Amino acid sequence: MASTDTPSAGTPSPGSSSSGTPSPDSHSPHTASEFDRASVQKVLDAARAAGRTGLTATEAETVAEAYSIPTPAQGLATSAEEAAALAARIGFPVVLKIVSPDITHKTEAGGVVAGVTTEAAARDAYATVLANARAHQAGALIEGVQVQRMATEGQEVLVGAVTDPTFGKVVAFGLGGVLVEVLEDVTFRLAPVSPGEARSMLDSVRAAKVLRGVRGAAPVDREALAGLVVRVSQLAADFPELTEVDLNPVFASADGVLAADLRLLLGDERRRERPHFTDEEILTSMRRLMEPRSVAVIGASNEEGKIGHSVMRNLVDGGFTGGIHPVNPKARRVLDRTAYASVLDVPGEVDVAVFAIPARLVPAALEEVGRKGIPNAVLIPSGFAETGEHALQDRVVEVAREHGVRLLGPNIYGYYSPWQNLCATFCTPYDVRGGVALTSQSGGIGMAVLGFARTTNTGVSAIVGLGNKSDVDEDDLLTYFAQDPHTRCVAMHLEDLKDGRAFVRAARATVPEKPVIVLKAGRTAAGSRAAGSHTGALAGNDAVYDDVLRQAGVIRAPGLNEMLEYARALPVLPTPQGDNVVVITGAGGSGVLLSDALVDNGLSLMEIPDDLDAAFRAFIPPFGAAGNPIDITGGEPPSTYEATIRLGLDDPRIHALVLGYWHTLVTPPMVFAELTARVVAEARARGVHKPVVASLAGDTEVEQASAHLFAHGVAAYPYTTEKPVAVLGAKYRWARAAGLLP
Amino acid sequence: MASTDTPSAGTPSPGSSSSGTPSPDSHSPHTASEFDRASVQKVLDAARAAGRTGLTATEAETVAEAYSIPTPAQGLATSAEEAAALAARIGFPVVLKIVSPDITHKTEAGGVVAGVTTEAAARDAYATVLANARAHQAGALIEGVQVQRMATEGQEVLVGAVTDPTFGKVVAFGLGGVLVEVLEDVTFRLAPVSPGEARSMLDSVRAAKVLRGVRGAAPVDREALAGLVVRVSQLAADFPELTEVDLNPVFASADGVLAADLRLLLGDERRRERPHFTDEEILTSMRRLMEPRSVAVIGASNEEGKIGHSVMRNLVDGGFTGGIHPVNPKARRVLDRTAYASVLDVPGEVDVAVFAIPARLVPAALEEVGRKGIPNAVLIPSGFAETGEHALQDRVVEVAREHGVRLLGPNIYGYYSPWQNLCATFCTPYDVRGGVALTSQSGGIGMAVLGFARTTNTGVSAIVGLGNKSDVDEDDLLTYFAQDPHTRCVAMHLEDLKDGRAFVRAARATVPEKPVIVLKAGRTAAGSRAAGSHTGALAGNDAVYDDVLRQAGVIRAPGLNEMLEYARALPVLPTPQGDNVVVITGAGGSGVLLSDALVDNGLSLMEIPDDLDAAFRAFIPPFGAAGNPIDITGGEPPSTYEATIRLGLDDPRIHALVLGYWHTLVTPPMVFAELTARVVAEARARGVHKPVVASLAGDTEVEQASAHLFAHGVAAYPYTTEKPVAVLGAKYRWARAAGLLP
């Protein structure tokens, strides 16, 4: 139970010391600073000293009290008579539960009798509970029997916390009861949460409406419920050894909240061992990696087909104007440049050493890189952890730490930094400069990134392979991309995060400036984790990833192609200034599908005011449909598209345009593309920046028209009504996460 | 209530005649033939005669009895004493409800008191209910007060039926209670349903697990519940005027089902007026439309830019070898062919008249088409219902009916029948023959179909514009495509169905032979229908479409691009013979994403038996991962791809292959494509037909490689791990719907 901090006379504070006297239901407000951490630590230490992983009811009550977790009125009885008297004072119905440090699973031990409605029944229940417990475990130490008021009023919810392998402590909120347990309607956030984040959790469950009152029920006390979530999240965050906290059910009503059952599990307090760099340290080495003046290639070769040859060729052919230093003990020159026997022989400072030698030779060469004072080693070779060679990888990491060298890879294709004309990779070169920075954990996905970028002519600021992530990972790169003026959007393919909290920190710092798109693979594998609580069972790996990435403001791409399409389009689209989306279409059929897609993407069709409706009507045939979508009808000349698009751009009440083009002889595809590009450019010259996306339905000429539009700032796609709206939706999601929309 | 058919002594049959004597809970089994339709008709007729749209509790009980709908024990009391006695005999708790034909909303009238647990309370409740009812409506005719046992045990579910504007009577099943009402966890089927369909409904709700017993609860009696769904569906089907039936809640438990509340609404029995053709009649005219020997073009023109010119040009250039007869009173010849002043002047039989004249001239010309005995008129012109000219369209339909002419359109681009070299359209010609028949309601979507087909070189058996669907619609075409030997897959874009039941009939006849893909636009608009019941409120237009299309075995495409991709791939892929899918990948990263996609598409990775695992391991490097996905690793030569793919094809336990290719210098894209095409062809030559799909990650050469694979029977895509699996998933969905999989 949790009483007020200063127990009033007549209602003594509860716990094992308050045997026989019930504590009242408590709802007192607390602030974080008021938490009684010392009492909790004492309870936890005692349990650990006794070698237990669970807490007794009495211990749980102490924790609840310390963190102002309201529990039903209760007390500890040590005789049947005391139980009956306690029950009478508390008020029926009550539930009786055995209190024993030796009995973890009370229900299985027959140690719980619920629904007790009379004093006589309470006496019987006391005897039953005791007898069952003794039968279950003969020598169990029994402190007594907890008599607790049964909470039944209100909506059942679940509040809990678990220790996630990636993100550490996360707090959970869900709707309780059988149905929602089956539907797993639960949401997670990094612990601790602010009151605002806790309130957002109440709205994040699918059945959120229930909390606002349905079927005439009064809405629950949201402040009390959010406050409880905050306190549970703080409790979990304060005690690393508290691996699972499970309040299930909590009864939430208009009058407040009451945690009918608390389950607390203790575990190992594992601390990640990971070198921590400051942002400045990260930036210093990342800048030298991404904007090097001089690069050495360890294992540079004149022999075609060798990786050391491809890397040299790409560096030279890519037009990198800094130093390119081949290192090869057997060659005097490589690709017409002086080769050195050792990197130690290279004159002057070197920023990056690219490794193109077999895995087993890496440690020795890395030693030399360290002695040369090169801050970055790019380890292309495979044959490390991914092939089971963990010891070799550990050795490499050790050498790097000794010398303060940061490692990219191993097991990667290398990396591209187009604004530096840098192709430090054995793959094909890429030179279209632009605003997208892409990273991939897998080489295969990296190749898909490259091919997609080339075929769509996507402007890129970086493509980086991360491979085994023995050192440099997503948060290091994000820290760099956040401040890189060329990068306007970051897209990352990842299978895991070495340090979820570091990633969230970096993402939160980046998102206000530029969108961060993540393709998290291994979504549905949802490793079955051993879990000792409901919250634990619900915290499948992906559920936590999904909620925490959203909490960090990241746009999660559902698949590879979506990640690529978002990355291509987001830097092209201006940020919307409001929620009013208007569809202008030459094909009514496309208008319907575009409207479907808008709803699918959480966007809504603007309600067009009468004057604006009249203004649109002036341009379209009488049988066309104004409203929204605005159906200009199929047979219209270029001037109708032009006039309506211009009106859409100029009216300040409209914030985004979705265009549906229909290929006709009157307005051929390239005519539409050119007029739209011109009208959009004119508007931008007038200072009007609105996102415009387009779906082009027609014969194959619409492909060229779409490319033309894309090159002129309109995200346009042939043969699909879904993609243009999906990228607009992603832009809106980012704008909201960045706080740029109301 | 529903008693057994033959009331036993001491428990007289209930209803208004049984005042004061309770009927027992009833669970008697019935067959359809035993339904007492006459009693229901009598009740409904009486209510209608009285101008009521609702039924009283007593009337509802009669209906329940007639259709063996089990209801809690109840009876009618006409005095407080009788109510108390009745309650005592029934057993507490009871609920008392006013019975009055004049009071529809009992609760609002204060006419319901629930939770009555004593005789005294029953007396009070009787008085309260009566007083409230009189206060609510002074002159209301009051038959008495219903005393009913309160059902509380078991899982709350909802069983109902509504009249859908497209599909007519549909039956609904959902989980009751506040939460699932909020989550709208409900499923629909065309009424009446078979017991098998009813059972499938129990598994179709998201929280289906609840019915199988969770948290230690016993599973509900599924047979009883399915039986109830069958009987409610039969009731709705038997009485067209019964527009809504709502059993909510029904309490389902291990002991059976009990409908605690019945709501029945009467409405207008509207019958669709639609000419009905037999399949033979449909086929006769559709064959002449799609395989004509002779076509007349009304409004054929020599003037470029005119529709009548484009149609003539496409017919001639398309290579149609049948008769092409221009009709134009002002020309002697059109495109070097004899022109006729009237279609009546054309010599010999004509199968199709294509109209390329202004809308207002259509009726007169159609009159001549009718007199000539031409069975099909293809109405390209717009300017009919879509522009508000309903009267003109009605006139055209009337003329057509008079003469037995079937109408395609108006307001369409025309149609293509590539196997006949027929391009009866003003759009660009298309000549790639193949197995896909595509139809679109909208012209814009039709143009997207054309462009997509051309750019992907998709083999087509038909492209047909449906436009305003004044006559010919999807079910006519489906009837033709079902028996057309060239058509192996049908894809239809539609915004509505004129006759949902006719479509379902045609789809059901087609699906066992070939897949039917539907893109239903207007998905999310979900017109807000006025609804008088829970079931009605849940039956948003799209929810019913979604369930009924699935019931018909149709594959619903979520968007335009998916429809096009499914249509392209499904005829290429052989039908899988079982559920065992194996992923073979060169890129571990693709393997993870392909696995995600498999789960998303309801497919599962085969558990690889030990001997098969060993067989795969023999081909891959020791650090590669067998299991599933089989990761052959990135640096492997063509022989590794070849050996593992061949093994995947040859082992009879494997039913489908998903390939993940990674572009490397060792195995370039076209090498992979050619070897895979060859291995697949060799397997087919040995009689091994398994679907194989592929995701190609790499530089732009993977585009050509994907095209090569597609042309050789492997559905392959660059830069996406989602599409190959989505089309495989669609093929599996069809195979299941067609009954070709266990």
Side-chain angles (χ1 to χ4, degrees), chain B residues 59-248:
Chain B
E59 289 168 335
E61 284 293 333
T62 306
V63 174
E65 183 184 15
Y67 275 75
S68 306
I69 295 169
T71 57
Q74 62 90 44
L76 187 74
T78 50
S79 71
E81 267 322 307
E82 213 169 66
L86 202 46
R89 260 175 295 166
I90 286 172
F92 295 99
V94 294
V95 55
L96 276 72
K97 303 177 189 171
I98 195 77
V99 178
S100 162
D102 299 330
I103 299 177
T104 315
H105 298 286
K106 297 188 288 284
T107 307
E108 286 174 24
V112 178
V113 174
V116 174
T117 54
T118 64
E119 286 185 47
R123 266 180 226 104
D124 288 352
Y126 183 92
T128 305
V129 160
L130 220 62
N132 285 349
R134 282 185 181 134
H136 180 77
Q137 193 174 332
L141 172 67
I142 289 169
E143 294 181 4
V145 173
Q146 187 190 31
V147 180
Q148 190 182 42
R149 175 71 182 251
M150 276 184 78
T152 52
E153 294 292 303
Q155 173 59 44
E156 281 187 48
V157 303
L158 172 155
V159 178
V162 290
T163 309
D164 181 81
T166 302
F167 295 102
K169 290 298 174 67
V170 293
V171 62
F173 169 75
L175 285 183
V178 161
L179 290 177
V180 184
E181 221 167 84
V182 166
L183 295 171
E184 301 190 350
D185 194 13
V186 66
T187 187
F188 298 89
R189 298 288 186 280
L190 288 185
V193 288
S194 69
E197 283 174 323
R199 281 191 293 268
S200 85
M201 294 178 79
L202 308 192
D203 287 325
S204 295
V205 292
R206 276 177 283 156
K209 252 200 271 181
V210 169
L211 300 175
R212 301 204 173 264
V214 288
R215 275 196 184 175
V220 307
D221 181 341
R222 297 175 74 79
E223 283 310 302
L225 189 50
L228 178 63
V229 172
V230 168
R231 295 193 296 279
V232 169
S233 79
Q234 191 63 52
L235 170 66
D238 285 348
F239 299 94
E241 65 269 49
L242 210 45
T243 49
E244 299 192 25
V245 179
D246 206 25
L247 278 56
N248 184 23

Side-chain angles (χ1 to χ4, degrees), chain B residues 549-637:
Chain B
L549 289 181
R550 192 175 302 109
Q551 187 186 7
V554 162
I555 300 164
R556 188 163 180 191
L560 172 58
N561 194 252
E562 285 92 346
M563 176 186 83
L564 296 170
E565 294 288 8
Y566 294 175
R568 180 188 178 210
L570 262 55
V572 164
L573 296 175
T575 303
Q577 303 299 314
D579 286 327
N580 289 337
V581 182
V582 167
V583 177
I584 298 173
T585 182
S590 298
V592 178
L593 290 170
L594 291 167
S595 302
D596 283 352
L598 282 169
V599 176
D600 286 347
N601 283 278
L603 303 175
S604 49
L605 288 162
M606 176 190 185
E607 296 256 3
I608 309 274
D610 287 347
D611 66 303
L612 191 51
D613 193 71
F616 275 114
R617 273 185 199 283
F619 298 122
I620 65 179
F623 53 87
N628 193 6
I630 296 156
D631 182 359
I632 68 169
T633 77
E636 290 300 290

Side-chain angles (χ1 to χ4, degrees), chain A residues 428 455 560 600 699 703 722, chain B residues 428 455 523 560 699 703 722:
Chain A
T428 36
T455 202
L560 173 58
D600 285 346
D699 211 331
E703 296 176 27
E722 299 82 34
Chain B
T428 36
T455 200
R523 222 154 23 96
L560 172 58
D699 211 332
E703 296 176 26
E722 299 80 34

Side-chain angles (χ1 to χ4, degrees), chain B residues 1 3-4 6-14 18 21-25 65 73 89:
Chain B
M1 114 235 98
S3 72
T4 53
T6 319
S8 56
T11 52
S13 118
S18 70
T21 310
S23 67
D25 293 355
E65 183 184 15
R89 260 175 295 166

Side-chain angles (χ1 to χ4, degrees), chain B residues 336-648:
Chain B
D336 243 12
R337 294 178 185 242
T338 306
Y340 302 91
S342 157
V343 76
L344 291 167
D345 304 332
V346 175
E349 268 201 334
V350 175
D351 298 301
V352 178
V354 182
F355 282 64
I357 54 176
R360 68 193 151 77
L361 305 179
V362 168
L366 185 61
E367 184 75 42
E368 295 184 347
V369 164
R371 277 162 54 204
K372 172 78 181 166
I374 301 176
N376 292 292
V378 174
L379 303 182
I380 290 179
S382 52
F384 292 92
E386 86 286 1
T387 61
E389 301 291 341
H390 294 280
L392 183 59
Q393 183 163 320
D394 290 348
R395 172 82 193 113
V396 166
V397 170
E398 199 180 312
V399 172
R401 288 211 185 139
E402 240 165 62
H403 293 279
V405 181
R406 299 292 315 255
L407 301 175
L408 186 66
N411 184 31
I412 58 172
Y413 48 87
Y415 74 111
Y416 300 79
S417 191
W419 290 95
Q420 312 298 324
N421 298 321
L422 184 78
C423 302
T425 163
F426 60 88
C427 301
T428 36
Y430 193 75
D431 61 4
V432 184
R433 296 169 172 187
V436 190
L438 295 134
T439 75
S440 77
Q441 189 161 350
S442 138
I445 304 306
M447 284 301 297
V449 165
L450 192 66
F452 175 87
R454 197 185 308 281
T455 200
T456 56
N457 206 36
T458 298
V460 162
S461 65
I463 302 177
V464 184
L466 281 166
N468 297 6
K469 300 199 280 197
S470 69
D471 174 20
V472 169
D473 64 4
E474 288 83 0
D475 45 280
D476 295 305
L477 285 166
L478 212 40
T479 303
Y480 171 77
F481 293 141
Q483 59 77 59
D484 172 35
H486 296 303
T487 298
R488 300 183 49 208
C489 170
V490 184
M492 300 182 143
H493 157 265
L494 53 95
E495 294 178 357
D496 55 21
L497 287 169
K498 287 183 340 198
D499 182 344
R501 296 224 163 210
F503 179 80
V504 168
R505 203 179 310 115
R508 280 180 164 163
T510 310
V511 166
E513 303 300 324
K514 37 195 103 172
V516 177
I517 301 157
V518 165
L519 170 61
K520 166 68 176 71
R523 222 154 23 96
T524 44
S528 55
R529 300 173 47 219
S533 68
H534 284 108
T535 307
L538 290 165
N541 235 330
D542 195 65
V544 174
Y545 257 103
D546 201 55
D547 284 329
V548 172
L549 289 181
R550 192 175 302 109
Q551 187 186 7
V554 162
I555 300 164
R556 188 163 180 191
L560 172 58
N561 194 252
E562 285 92 346
M563 176 186 83
L564 296 170
E565 294 288 8
Y566 294 175
R568 180 188 178 210
L570 262 55
V572 164
L573 296 175
T575 303
Q577 303 299 314
D579 286 327
N580 289 337
V581 182
V582 167
V583 177
I584 298 173
T585 182
S590 298
V592 178
L593 290 170
L594 291 167
S595 302
D596 283 352
L598 282 169
V599 176
D600 286 347
N601 283 278
L603 303 175
S604 49
L605 288 162
M606 176 190 185
E607 296 256 3
I608 309 274
D610 287 347
D611 66 303
L612 191 51
D613 193 71
F616 275 114
R617 273 185 199 283
F619 298 122
I620 65 179
F623 53 87
N628 193 6
I630 296 156
D631 182 359
I632 68 169
T633 77
E636 290 300 290
S639 58
T640 309
Y641 277 106
E642 180 162 346
T644 49
I645 296 170
R646 181 174 291 119
L647 177 54

